[in-house]
């Protein structure tokens, strides 16, 4: 058996092999296991560079013991029996081709024939219709400037030379596993493509899955017999799980002279196709095996998506819409929809993103819990109080560990080896009912299970086109002598080795941006564990405590800067030293405001509001300045250090009379201030939406009584009181803006504390205004 399909010049063969071994041992390992970048390689001066195909060395059975480099290149844990069927080609700059097996790997000197498409009238006008032999598709398209080129797959498409004559081709088609939209479309396009493009007349259908190879007669298929089957759901060939007997299947393939086998099914079916290929190769048969991946869960590895997935997501919208109508039409209504997704929640995730009516999406990749802080029950309770209804979408594989804790049951498997799942939708329905009953909450829940509805319908337009391209790509590859699984990789159809799609499974990455988009759409919690929540809370609390001092200083400076706009400057220290201080309030005269300043130091928003109230306490003289002129000076400033002033011995609670020897302010300023106050909108008339902090109420109007039982200060001192009210409005709205910006939640507790803080603030403001009279 030859170790390579590429023959190098004898004088350069040893050098090229040594260079390839070096690159495989270091460069490929760095590509997958470390961020080290591959330096660019320059050819030796004066030496002609070999063509790209000549720099590739094929790793085959004779290349092991270099299995470690092969595993690093394919990023897989290969079994020893799989390693003998894996082919890697390695080129410059970290290029690795994970190639598919070919007939010439075990049958040398096979004759080739011209491709019949070159004489086909429909393709005669196509420019460069045949695929170049060196065309490959990268597995990853996002790379860095100097990173290695990475793993590639052989590009799908027609080749200029084929390894089967049209008259000698005997092809068979089999469908296995569960149903999926588009199965009949793939069958139709395989039959019509073989007939119309390659003039193949012997196409047979295998009925009822793998067991149909040895338990039933083959069904002849022609373009006429499959003309309109794409308009129907399901599969005209029938399907089943299990029944895979490799020896019996290959015996029938050999006895009937089949030389092309097209197998449509999921990852388990592709594993069976891989075993069939291995047995065919051991027997040395000239048979090509082409796998077309089919799964409604979209969990096939490597490929972008499987056919039928778009149709399933579109059909799932109908169930979600129905659940939303049921939930929104009832008081505290809940619509629960269970969708398919045994190990991967792609259908649930994409259906949720497309719907925008879903409040919670549960998938197998993201564990959740029911009770406790941050659990599902708490979120359901909060959502019902906010919206009076909610819609929950759950994948069938989600929450199986929670069900197992409450319903002990032995693990069971179906004929395909998949674990039998318990009904998470029904279990979750009963759990939510019990929780609402314990809370004495009236609730209506509707459980909708469209699991088998979304897979039994015909494919939509986009899936029909996708199925056609998959079928044609499979035909081109089989005629060219390859055995593979066909799929779209980064938007290009490619031939993928069997081991790449059978050794792992595609799953939703909850650390990816797509899952973050879903959380942003539903506003659901991430359902982290309580330990994670506690750790995050302690970290946030420590960070808030460290920033408390800085926030208070910044807020104080901000209020000072904003409060001096249009306000007369306070008197200087020298002026205060020559004026008698008759009514300065001691620090103890503002217990409510000081309490508001020191309340809950771990909350930034509350600290900022307290700082704003403290600033007003420290600078009460500026409350008597309006936005249009100077008002009566109220001597309540604190003594400036170094001036010799001191606090008077005024008993606590004694009301200090204002200073009488200051000239009154002009009346024009009063009119301007009154006009500005009247032009301000009534904040109570504005109803904020959910998630918005309620703004503080305005000061009491003339018809309202003050806190101390007297009439409103606006009656007795129009100029000073209106200006003070305007000033108080300004500071209140500044505090409201800061509260709204710093607020991260809209809980009832936060609202109540905010109301109490504002009540104390307005009470102390009214006391100071009355004191200024």
């Amino acid at each position: 058996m030859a170790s390579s399909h590429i023959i190098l010049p004898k004088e350069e063969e040893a050098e090229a092999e040594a260079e390839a071994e070096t690159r495989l041992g270091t460069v490929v390992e760095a590509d997958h296991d470390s961020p080290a970048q591959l330096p660019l390689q320059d050819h030796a001066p004066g030496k002609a560079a070999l063509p790209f195909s000549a720099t590739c060395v094929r790793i085959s059975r004779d290349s092991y013991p270099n299995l470690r480099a092969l595993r690093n290149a394919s990023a897989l844990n290969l079994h020893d029996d799989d390693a003998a069927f894996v082919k890697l080609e390695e080129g410059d700059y970290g290029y690795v081709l994970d190639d598919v097996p070919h007939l010439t790997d075990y049958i040398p000197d096979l004759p080739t024939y011209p491709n019949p498409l070159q004489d086909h009238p429909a393709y005669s006008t196509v420019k460069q219709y045949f695929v170049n032999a060196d065309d490959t598709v990268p597995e990853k398209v996002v790379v860095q400037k100097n990173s290695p080129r990475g793993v590639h797959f052989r590009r799908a498409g027609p080749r200029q030379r084929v390894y089967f004559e049209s008259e000698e081709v005997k092809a068979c088609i089999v469908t296995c596993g569960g149903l999926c939209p588009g199965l009949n479309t793939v069958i139709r396009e395989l039959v019509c493509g073989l007939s119309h493009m390659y003039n193949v007349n012997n196409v047979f259908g295998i009925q009822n899955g793998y067991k149909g190879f040895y338990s039933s007669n083959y069904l002849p298929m022609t373009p006429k017999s499959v003309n309109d089957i794409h308009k129907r759901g399901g599969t005209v060939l029938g399907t089943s799980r299990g029944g895979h007997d490799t020896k019996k299947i290959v015996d029938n393939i050999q006895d009937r002279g089949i030389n092309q086998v097209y197998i449509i099914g999921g990852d388990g079916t592709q594993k069976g196709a891989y075993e069939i290929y291995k047995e065919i190769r051991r027997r040395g048969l000239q048979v090509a095996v082409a796998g077309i991946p089919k799964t409604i869960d979209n969990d096939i590895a490597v490929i972008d998506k499987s056919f039928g997935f778009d149709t399933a997501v579109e059909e799932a919208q109908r169930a979600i819409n129905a659940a939303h109508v049921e939930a929104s039409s009832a008081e505290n209504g809940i619509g629960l929809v269970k969708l398919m997704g045994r190990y991967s929640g792609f259908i649930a995730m994409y259906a949720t993103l497309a719907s925008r009516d879903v409040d919670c999406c549960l998938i197998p990749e993201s564990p959740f819990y029911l009770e406790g802080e941050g659990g599902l029950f708490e979120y359901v309770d909060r959502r019902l109080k906010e919206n009076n209804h909610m819609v929950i979408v759950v994948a069938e594989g989600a929450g199986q560990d929670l069900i197992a804790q409450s319903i002990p049951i032995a693990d069971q498997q179906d004929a395909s080896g998949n674990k039998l799942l318990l009904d998470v939708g029904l279990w979750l329905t009963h759990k939510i009912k019990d929780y609402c009953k314990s809370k004495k909450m009236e609730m209506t829940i509707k459980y909708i299970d469209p699991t088998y509805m979304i897979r039994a319908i015909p494919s939509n337009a986009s899936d029909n086109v996708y199925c056609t391209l998959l079928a044609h790509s499979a035909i081109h590859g089989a005629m060219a002598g390859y055995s593979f699984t066909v799929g779209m990789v980064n938007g290009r159809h490619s031939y993928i080795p069997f081991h790449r799609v059978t050794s792992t499974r595609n799953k939703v990455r909850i650390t990816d941006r797509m899952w973050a988009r879903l959380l942003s759409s539903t506003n659901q919690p991430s359902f982290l564990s309580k330990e994670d929540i506690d750790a995050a809370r302690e970290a946030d609390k420590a960070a808030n405590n460290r920033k408390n001092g800085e926030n208070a200083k910044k807020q104080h400076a901000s209020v000072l800067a904003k409060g001096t706009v249009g306000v007369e400057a306070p008197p200087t220290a020298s002026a205060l030293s020559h004026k008698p201080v008759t009514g300065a309030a001691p620090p103890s005269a503002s217990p409510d405001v000081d309490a508001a300043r020191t309340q809950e130091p771990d909350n930034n928003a509350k600290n900022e509001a307290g700082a704003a109230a403290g600033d007003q306490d420290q600078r009460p003289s500026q409350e008597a300045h309006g936005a249009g002129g100077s008002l009566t000076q109220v001597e309540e400033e604190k003594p400036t250090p170094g001036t010799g002033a001191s606090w008077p011995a005024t008993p606590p609670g004694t009301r200090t009379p204002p200073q009488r020897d200051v000239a009154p302010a002009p009346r024009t300023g009063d009119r301007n201030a009154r006009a500005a106050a009247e032009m301000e909108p009534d904040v109570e008339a504005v109803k904020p939406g959910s998630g918005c902090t309620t703004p503080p109420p305005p000061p009491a109007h003339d018809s309202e009584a003050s806190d101390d039982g007297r009439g409103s200060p606006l009656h007795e001192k129009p100029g000073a009181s209106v200006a003070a009210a305007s000033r108080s409005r300004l500071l209140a709205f500044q505090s409201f803006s800061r509260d709204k910006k710093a607020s991260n939640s809209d809980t009832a507790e936060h609202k109540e504390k905010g109301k109490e803080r504002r009540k104390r603030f307005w009470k102390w403001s009214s006391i100071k205004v009355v004191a200024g009279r």
Side-chain angles (χ1 to χ4, degrees):
M1 182 180 300
S3 62
S4 175
H5 295 285
I6 300 174
I7 302 177
L8 300 177
K10 292 183 179 180
E11 62 273 13
E12 299 172 357
E13 183 175 1
E15 179 182 354
E17 289 182 355
E19 183 181 0
E21 289 290 335
T22 302
R23 289 197 297 267
L24 279 174
T26 58
V27 172
V28 178
E29 183 174 3
D31 181 20
H32 293 277
D33 297 340
S34 67
Q37 305 297 332
L38 176 68
L40 300 180
Q41 302 174 3
D42 297 330
H43 295 285
K47 183 176 180 180
L50 294 175
F52 173 75
S53 59
T55 63
C56 299
V57 175
R58 179 158 310 205
I59 304 175
S60 182
R61 193 186 302 271
D62 299 339
S63 299
Y64 310 115
N66 201 7
L67 183 60
R68 182 178 64 87
L70 183 146
R71 288 176 175 172
N72 287 333
S74 60
L76 294 174
N77 293 323
L78 297 174
H79 299 290
D80 292 336
D81 55 343
D82 292 339
F85 300 98
V86 175
K87 299 192 305 183
L88 291 182
E89 294 183 6
E90 210 258 350
D92 291 336
Y93 314 125
Y95 173 94
V96 177
L97 173 61
D98 197 350
D99 205 356
V100 293
H102 193 267
L103 291 175
T104 56
D105 293 349
Y106 58 94
I107 307 177
D109 303 327
L110 279 176
T112 60
Y113 310 95
N115 195 318
L117 286 176
Q118 65 185 8
D119 300 325
H120 198 287
Y123 299 97
S124 59
T125 59
V126 178
K127 181 180 180 181
Q128 196 178 354
Y129 182 74
F130 297 110
V131 175
N132 191 293
D134 288 336
D135 285 353
T136 56
V137 178
E139 183 181 16
K140 298 180 180 179
V141 294
V142 180
V143 295
Q144 285 72 41
K145 180 179 179 181
N146 296 323
S147 61
R149 296 175 62 185
V151 177
H152 290 61
F153 301 109
R154 189 168 292 278
R155 183 185 176 188
R159 266 58 181 176
Q160 212 161 12
R161 308 289 295 181
V162 296
Y163 285 80
F164 297 95
E165 285 192 292
S166 300
E167 296 80 8
E168 298 177 355
V169 172
K170 282 189 176 182
C172 67
I173 306 170
V174 62
T175 56
C176 306
L179 296 182
C180 182
L183 278 173
N184 282 335
T185 305
V186 175
I187 295 172
R188 180 188 186 277
E189 295 307 318
L190 285 173
V191 176
C192 294
L194 285 168
S195 178
H196 296 159
M197 292 189 298
Y198 288 95
N199 303 318
V200 175
N201 297 320
N202 297 318
V203 182
F204 303 94
I206 310 299
Q207 302 180 71
N208 301 321
Y210 276 132
K211 65 182 182 181
F213 276 100
Y214 52 85
S215 63
S216 62
N217 294 326
Y218 290 10
L219 179 67
M221 308 186 75
T222 62
K224 184 177 180 180
S225 66
V226 299
N227 184 44
D228 60 350
I229 63 173
H230 63 288
K231 301 177 183 178
R232 291 179 261 165
T235 167
V236 295
L237 295 178
T239 184
S240 66
R241 298 186 181 274
H244 186 276
D245 191 322
T246 304
K247 185 177 182 303
K248 288 184 178 180
I249 292 174
V250 178
D251 286 344
N252 276 268
I253 290 175
Q254 187 174 3
D255 294 341
R256 294 177 182 267
I258 302 295
N259 50 22
Q260 289 185 13
V261 182
Y262 297 93
I263 302 175
I264 310 170
D267 55 347
T269 302
Q270 300 305 313
K271 291 178 181 178
Y274 195 16
E275 296 300 321
I276 291 173
Y277 165 74
K278 292 178 182 179
E279 184 62 25
I280 287 174
R281 179 164 176 167
R282 292 189 187 98
R283 301 187 185 188
L285 305 178
Q286 187 179 349
V287 179
V289 180
I292 302 175
K294 176 271 312 174
T295 171
I296 201 171
D297 294 344
N298 196 36
D299 59 355
I300 298 292
V302 181
I303 66 175
D304 295 346
K305 66 176 180 179
S306 56
F307 71 86
F309 176 72
D310 287 347
T311 305
V313 172
E314 184 176 323
E315 185 66 16
Q317 297 300 297
R318 301 177 184 271
I320 294 177
N321 292 339
H324 182 256
V325 171
E326 290 284 350
S328 60
S329 301
E331 182 181 3
N332 288 336
I334 299 178
L336 180 60
V337 181
K338 187 184 77 170
L339 299 177
M340 302 196 77
R342 180 183 299 272
Y343 303 109
S344 304
F346 284 102
I347 291 182
M349 181 177 71
Y350 278 85
T352 297
L353 285 171
S355 172
R356 301 293 180 179
D357 289 331
V358 180
D359 299 291
C360 185
C361 179
L362 306 175
I363 60 174
E365 295 88 342
S366 180
F368 66 95
Y369 58 96
L370 300 179
E371 300 176 353
E373 183 180 1
L376 179 61
F377 288 160
E378 182 188 73
Y379 177 64
V380 169
D381 192 4
R382 174 159 53 92
R383 203 65 174 174
L384 290 179
K385 291 180 180 178
E386 292 175 352
N387 294 348
N388 198 34
H389 72 276
M390 72 177 302
V391 177
I392 303 175
V393 171
V394 56
E396 61 178 346
Q400 293 297 314
D401 54 341
L402 297 178
I403 305 176
Q405 295 174 6
S406 57
I407 307 177
I409 188 172
D411 292 341
Q412 299 179 5
Q413 294 181 342
D414 59 14
S416 298
N418 299 316
K419 180 181 178 180
L420 292 178
L421 302 177
L422 299 173
D423 193 341
V424 63
L426 191 60
W427 173 81
L428 197 58
T429 300
H430 290 299
K431 286 293 184 179
I432 295 176
K433 284 183 178 179
D434 295 340
Y435 170 77
C436 294
K437 185 177 180 180
S438 65
K439 294 291 184 179
K440 297 182 180 180
M441 180 192 305
E442 294 292 334
M443 180 270 301
T444 301
I445 186 168
K446 303 296 183 184
Y447 175 39
I448 300 177
D449 184 1
T451 302
Y452 296 102
M453 293 175 58
I454 66 175
R455 74 177 197 175
I457 61 174
S459 55
N460 61 13
S462 65
D463 271 329
N464 272 335
V465 175
Y466 188 30
C467 292
T468 301
L469 297 179
L470 286 174
H472 289 183
S473 298
I475 294 171
H476 297 319
M479 293 296 296
Y482 294 107
S483 293
F484 54 87
T485 295
V486 65
M488 188 166 62
V489 180
N490 296 319
R492 294 286 185 176
H493 289 264
S494 310
Y495 298 142
I496 308 167
F498 287 113
H499 67 85
R500 292 303 299 266
V501 298
T502 59
S503 57
T504 185
R505 181 177 285 111
N506 191 23
K507 292 188 176 182
V508 175
R509 295 183 180 180
I510 60 175
T511 58
D512 199 6
R513 285 194 295 268
M514 187 61 71
W515 183 247
R517 294 185 184 103
L518 181 140
L519 296 179
S520 176
S521 172
T522 62
N523 292 321
Q524 71 185 63
S526 60
F527 298 113
L528 297 174
S529 64
K530 189 176 184 301
E531 291 76 9
D532 296 335
I533 296 176
D534 292 340
R537 182 181 291 113
E538 291 296 328
D540 291 340
K541 188 173 182 179
N544 290 336
N545 289 336
R546 287 194 301 267
K547 294 180 180 179
N548 266 344
E550 298 180 4
N551 289 340
K553 292 179 181 178
K554 292 179 181 178
Q555 190 62 35
H556 180 67
S558 175
V559 172
L560 288 177
K562 294 180 180 179
T564 55
V565 179
V567 181
E568 185 178 347
T572 60
S574 59
L576 288 176
S577 62
H578 295 291
K579 288 185 178 181
V581 181
T582 60
S588 60
S590 56
D592 294 337
V593 180
D594 290 337
R597 294 183 61 188
T598 57
Q599 186 178 5
E600 293 193 28
D602 59 335
N603 192 311
N604 284 339
K606 298 177 181 178
N607 285 333
E608 291 173 359
D615 291 340
Q616 195 165 1
D617 178 41
Q618 294 172 8
R619 303 177 63 246
S621 64
Q622 293 193 13
E623 294 180 2
H625 296 282
S630 61
L631 300 177
T632 303
Q633 180 71 30
V634 181
E635 295 296 338
E636 289 185 349
E637 278 88 354
K638 294 181 180 180
T640 306
T643 60
S646 60
W647 292 105
T650 305
T654 303
R655 187 164 297 163
T656 306
Q659 188 74 16
R660 300 296 184 181
D661 58 347
V662 181
R667 301 298 297 173
T668 55
D670 295 349
R671 288 193 296 270
N672 293 338
R674 185 181 295 106
E678 292 174 355
M679 292 176 63
E680 292 179 2
D682 188 0
V683 295
E684 289 184 347
V686 181
K687 300 297 183 181
S690 60
C692 179
T693 306
T694 305
H701 297 289
D702 293 7
S703 60
E704 299 175 354
S706 60
D707 292 339
D708 58 355
R710 301 188 182 190
S712 171
L714 297 178
H715 270 306
E716 301 179 9
K717 193 79 171 180
S721 59
V722 171
S726 176
R727 173 63 178 161
S728 299
R729 283 176 179 270
L730 177 61
L731 291 178
F733 274 99
Q734 289 174 356
S735 177
F736 163 66
S737 300
R738 292 190 297 270
D739 288 346
K740 182 178 178 181
K741 185 176 181 180
S743 176
N744 294 326
S745 64
D746 192 22
T747 60
E749 181 183 2
H750 180 75
K751 289 183 178 180
E752 292 299 327
K753 291 181 179 179
K755 289 180 180 178
E756 294 177 2
R757 184 173 65 252
R758 288 192 293 271
K759 184 177 179 180
R760 290 193 299 270
F761 172 73
W762 289 114
K763 179 178 179 181
W764 178 243
S765 299
S766 62
I767 292 175
K768 289 190 292 183
V769 172
V770 173
R773 293 185 286 109

